[in-house]
Amino acid sequence: MKLYGSLTSPYVRKARVLIAEKKLTVEMVIEDPWPEDSRIPTRNPLGKVPVLEVEPGNTLFESVLVLHYLDHVDGKSITPKDAAGYWQSQWWQSLGNGMIDAAVAHVLETRRPAGKQMPEKLAREEARIERAVTVAESRFRGGPFLVGGRFTLADLILGVALQYVDFRCPNEWRAKCPKLAAWHEPIAARRSFQDTLPPGFTALAA
Ligand SMILES: N[C@@H](CCC(=O)N[C@@H](CS)C(=O)NCC(=O)O)C(=O)O
C-alpha cells in the first residue's frame, strides 16, 4: 500500500499515526495537492490528501474512509466492539475531525492576502475550536483514554486535532482544560505521535 500526502496535513497525519500504531507496511509518498501540476487529482478526483493506494489503480480518499480501511485491514481494529463504546468513540472522532476542519479553515484564511482576509471568518473558526475544547473537557471523565480502557481512534483523532491546533492555531486550551491536558500529554508522547510530528513543530509543554 502507498499513502500519498504531505507531512504537515493533519488529515494525512491521522493515517500516519494509525499506520505507526499498527505497524502496517505502507509506503509514504510525499506529494503536495496544491500546485497546478499536482498528480493528486489523478488519484483522488477531489484533489485532496490523504490518498491511500490499496493496490495499483485502486485508491481510497477522504481521511475518515482511509482510517476506517486501515483500522480493519489487519483484522485487529482498535474501535470498541460494544455498542456504547462504539458510539462514544464515534462522538469523539466527530469532535476531533471538526476541530481539524476548523483549524485548517483558519489557516487557509490567514494565507489569503492581508486585505482579503475576513476577521469574522477567523473569529468563527476560533470560536468553533474554543467550544469544542470546552465541551471535550466537560464530557471527559478523566483518565488515560477517552473511551474504555485502551487506545482507540477517539484518542488518535482528538490527539492529532489538539496538536494541530498547537501547531497552527494556538489556543490556551491546556490552562482551561486540566483533564484534557493530563490525557493529552502521554498520548502525544506515544511513539506513533512522536514519529509523525509535522516538520517545524515544537511540542508544547503541558
Ligand atoms: N475531508 C478531507 C479533507 C482533506 C484536505 O482538505 N486535505 C488538504 C490538505 S490538509 C488538501 O489536500 N487540500 C488541497 C485542496 O483543498 O485543494 C479528508 O478528510 O480527507
Side-chain angles (χ1 to χ4, degrees):
M1 284 190 287
K2 290 183 182 175
L3 180 72
Y4 292 87
S6 69
L7 297 180
T8 47
S9 165
Y11 302 102
V12 176
R13 185 165 182 232
K14 289 187 294 176
R16 293 170 62 219
V17 172
L18 187 54
I19 288 165
E21 284 286 336
K22 290 174 155 264
K23 300 184 173 51
L24 298 173
T25 305
V26 180
E27 181 187 344
M28 175 79 208
V29 182
I30 297 176
E31 208 157 300
D32 186 348
W34 291 103
E36 282 294 309
D37 62 350
S38 170
R39 305 235 334 120
I40 290 298
T42 67
R43 304 187 168 94
N44 170 8
L46 305 176
K48 298 183 182 188
V49 291
V51 177
L52 184 71
E53 186 182 76
V54 294
E55 58 191 2
N58 184 8
T59 56
L60 297 177
F61 44 84
E62 285 295 312
S63 58
V64 171
L65 176 60
V66 168
L67 261 75
H68 187 66
Y69 183 86
L70 292 171
D71 186 26
H72 290 87
V73 69
D74 60 353
K76 296 181 208 159
S77 167
I78 62 169
T79 298
K81 303 284 180 292
D82 62 298
Y86 177 85
W87 291 113
Q88 282 169 32
S89 172
Q90 294 295 330
W91 186 91
W92 286 105
Q93 290 177 50
S94 294
L95 191 75
N97 282 323
M99 285 174 66
I100 290 174
D101 289 342
V104 168
H106 190 278
V107 169
L108 294 180
E109 190 64 25
T110 61
R111 288 187 182 160
R112 281 155 53 85
K116 291 190 174 170
Q117 288 179 24
M118 289 195 296
E120 59 273 30
K121 166 78 175 162
L122 293 171
R124 198 168 172 82
E125 302 308 339
E126 285 163 18
R128 236 187 277 285
I129 294 168
E130 186 68 31
R131 284 193 304 270
V133 292
T134 303
V135 166
E137 177 70 7
S138 67
R139 175 117 174 192
F140 185 32
R141 69 193 187 300
F145 304 111
L146 294 173
V147 182
R150 66 186 175 95
F151 181 83
T152 69
L153 287 184
D155 301 295
L156 189 158
I157 293 173
L158 193 65
V160 167
L162 286 168
Q163 239 173 2
Y164 190 70
V165 167
D166 286 342
F167 181 42
R168 293 289 201 214
C169 200
N171 169 301
E172 299 293 314
W173 63 270
R174 283 181 182 76
K176 290 168 281 183
C177 306
K179 282 180 289 176
L180 217 52
W183 157 80
H184 192 260
E185 195 180 352
I187 294 290
R190 291 172 82 90
R191 187 73 196 263
S192 58
F193 275 71
Q194 292 289 317
D195 287 350
T196 56
L197 284 172
F201 177 77
T202 310
L204 303 183

